Amino acid sequence: MNIDIARREGFWALAGFALCIPAANWLIGHVGTYCVPNGPCLVPVAPGVAAPSGVLMVGLALVLRDVVQRRLGMGWAMGAIVAGAGLSAFLAPPALVLASAVAFLLSEVVDMAVYTPLARRGLVLAVALSGVAGLVVDSVVFLWLAFGNLDFLAGQVIGKAWMVLLALPVIAALKRRDDRSAMAG
């Protein structure tokens, strides 16, 4: 693959990753089928299960971090995680700053720890499994630190998982294109 194209894709993924954080914060207060007074806006994520709309962007952020690492390298990915945790803390409502920043930081590090060794074996599998690991950590840590319970765990996990699943065909297409470019080069 042309190194310039790969770097450009990496920077687009980095920009998308960074935009997921303010998007999640905006969605949670403005978009949903039902908005709780003085609380989050909810979207259905499965029959009878709703979640705050911001969870959709968290699932996407996990996938985009993997693309940043693939295209730009581990250093860029770590920098994105640290900057994202800071941005998450800055944009979160005051009562949720600690939960938001810690959950973001830990989930992205877990995502990286699972993705890195698996990426050599299969990109789609690595993105899927690292996304699941990251979204579970994000959901558990956030809910526990923010509310002291896991009452909304199902909705959090399902909502984030939808975004990971929806991104997998795009990841598969990127992998096929990379493979074709390697054979042609």
Side-chain angles (χ1 to χ4, degrees), residues 53-185:
S53 54
V55 302
L56 302 173
M57 292 296 101
V58 175
L60 181 58
L62 291 163
V63 172
L64 289 171
R65 199 231 36 92
D66 293 341
V67 175
V68 169
Q69 182 176 339
R70 181 170 174 82
R71 294 296 194 228
L72 300 177
M74 184 82 78
W76 280 97
M78 279 305 298
I81 290 169
V82 171
L87 186 58
S88 185
F90 178 73
L91 293 174
L96 301 178
V97 168
L98 179 67
S100 183
V102 171
F104 183 89
L105 182 65
L106 290 178
S107 66
E108 291 291 345
V109 168
V110 166
D111 179 274
M112 179 182 278
V114 172
Y115 171 83
T116 301
L118 291 177
R120 289 181 226 101
R121 294 188 192 158
L123 180 63
V124 175
L125 178 66
V127 170
L129 293 179
S130 67
V132 169
L135 68 87
V136 169
V137 169
D138 185 79
S139 300
V140 169
V141 171
F142 178 80
L143 289 171
W144 189 257
L145 290 177
F147 308 113
N149 65 59
L150 302 177
D151 292 347
F152 301 106
L153 185 61
Q156 293 268 327
V157 168
I158 293 168
K160 294 168 191 168
W162 276 117
M163 292 308 285
V164 171
L165 287 172
L166 290 171
L168 292 180
V170 174
I171 297 300
L174 282 174
K175 174 69 171 126
R176 283 191 303 275
R177 193 187 69 201
D178 288 355
D179 290 348
R180 281 193 307 270
S181 294
M183 288 190 295

